[in-house]
Amino acid sequence: RMNRLLQGDVGSGKTIISFLALYMNYLSGYQGVLMAPTEILIKQHYENIKKILTDLNIEILTGSTTKKDRDKIIENLKKGQIDILLSTHSVLNDDVVFKNIGLVVTDEQHRFGVNQRKNLQNKGENVDVLYMSATPIPRTYALTIYGDMDISIINTMPSGRKKIITKVFDNSDIKKVLVKIKQELDLGHQIYIVSPLIEDSEEEMEDTKKL
């Protein structure tokens, strides 16, 4: 049984490794699930995996999934008609039941609580578990937190991949940040802004009630 933490910088290739693991799990006759903390991220994973594993039955389940689609997905999961499910916290609800789950992949695993990760693992018997994180965690610290776990680290970036540049600014430098954002938008690029949650959204409150 696998219990592994995969670490690597953004863009290092963690996601494609998880797709390969889910595919190998499928070839062995099991269902697989990939859980991520946000709808934006899980939808991105869904769009990418559908392009690669075109012959598999892959579905996505989030807080914004309509009741009709949700009911159909839950029914097909129980029947084993879905090979891979990509989901946010929605997969943790008790009514989401797999027929034969063999692999659980958790992206940005530090964003989930211990009980949430355990809840997902308990949806099957002796399932393989793969955690992924771009946050560097010293090996000894990881073993202290997570117990008996194998750790794999991706030290190099894929060939041809652009270098990731990280900069830190103070609040007093907000004008520089805004100018840079405007420059990137003028070039036709997209901007992704991550902000701390101040108030629970209706969607997240609904997910919490279900849990």
Side-chain angles (χ1 to χ4, degrees):
R1 175 174 175 265
M2 177 176 68
N3 190 37
R4 181 175 299 275
L5 171 64
L6 177 62
Q7 293 183 189
D9 288 337
V10 174
S12 63
K14 298 188 300 298
T15 301
I16 192 64
I17 288 176
S18 71
F19 290 174
L20 289 170
L22 288 165
Y23 182 57
M24 293 174 66
N25 177 69
Y26 158 78
L27 293 177
S28 297
Y30 295 94
Q31 294 172 295
V33 59
L34 190 160
M35 181 173 68
T38 65
E39 283 203 25
I40 291 178
L41 181 56
I42 205 64
K43 286 179 179 178
Q44 179 181 330
H45 286 331
Y46 177 72
E47 292 171 0
N48 289 330
I49 198 171
K50 289 282 286 186
K51 295 176 184 176
I52 300 173
L53 305 179
T54 55
D55 295 333
L56 274 62
N57 189 351
I58 303 172
E59 293 290 347
I60 181 172
L61 179 66
T62 70
S64 63
T65 302
T66 64
K67 186 179 186 304
K68 180 180 179 181
D69 289 340
R70 188 178 188 279
D71 291 343
K72 184 177 180 180
I73 289 173
I74 290 176
E75 180 182 354
N76 289 338
L77 270 178
K78 291 179 181 178
K79 293 179 179 178
Q81 296 176 354
I82 294 177
D83 302 315
I84 298 174
L85 178 69
L86 279 73
S87 182
T88 54
H89 298 75
S90 298
V91 72
L92 300 175
N93 293 323
D94 291 337
D95 61 344
V96 180
V97 179
F98 294 82
K99 180 180 180 180
N100 188 25
I101 186 172
L103 174 63
V104 168
V105 180
T106 306
D107 196 7
E108 295 195 15
Q109 58 83 30
H110 57 281
R111 298 278 296 277
F112 296 96
V114 174
N115 290 335
Q116 289 177 320
R117 295 196 297 265
K118 186 176 181 180
N119 179 306
L120 185 55
Q121 296 172 33
N122 289 339
K123 289 183 180 288
E125 294 185 9
N126 296 320
V127 298
D128 290 321
V129 180
L130 178 64
Y131 302 110
M132 299 191 296
S133 178
T135 304
I137 305 175
R139 185 178 298 271
T140 51
Y141 187 37
L143 290 175
T144 301
I145 299 175
Y146 304 114
D148 186 17
M149 174 184 289
D150 294 314
I151 301 176
S152 297
I153 301 175
I154 303 176
N155 293 317
T156 59
M157 300 291 277
S159 177
R161 183 62 59 92
K162 291 183 178 180
K163 182 180 179 181
I164 303 296
I165 300 175
T166 302
K167 296 183 179 181
V168 179
F169 293 90
D170 292 327
N171 288 336
S172 58
D173 295 322
I174 187 62
K175 185 174 181 180
K176 295 180 182 178
V177 175
L178 295 175
V179 169
K180 181 61 177 177
I181 289 176
K182 179 64 167 56
Q183 291 174 346
E184 294 297 327
L185 291 174
D186 289 342
L187 292 172
H189 297 161
Q190 292 178 303
I191 304 296
Y192 181 30
I193 299 175
V194 181
S195 175
L197 182 66
I198 305 301
E199 296 180 359
D200 288 337
S201 66
E202 291 184 6
E203 173 189 314
E204 286 170 322
M205 290 177 68
E206 188 62 30
D207 280 345
T208 301
K209 290 179 183 177
K210 292 176 182 177
L211 291 174

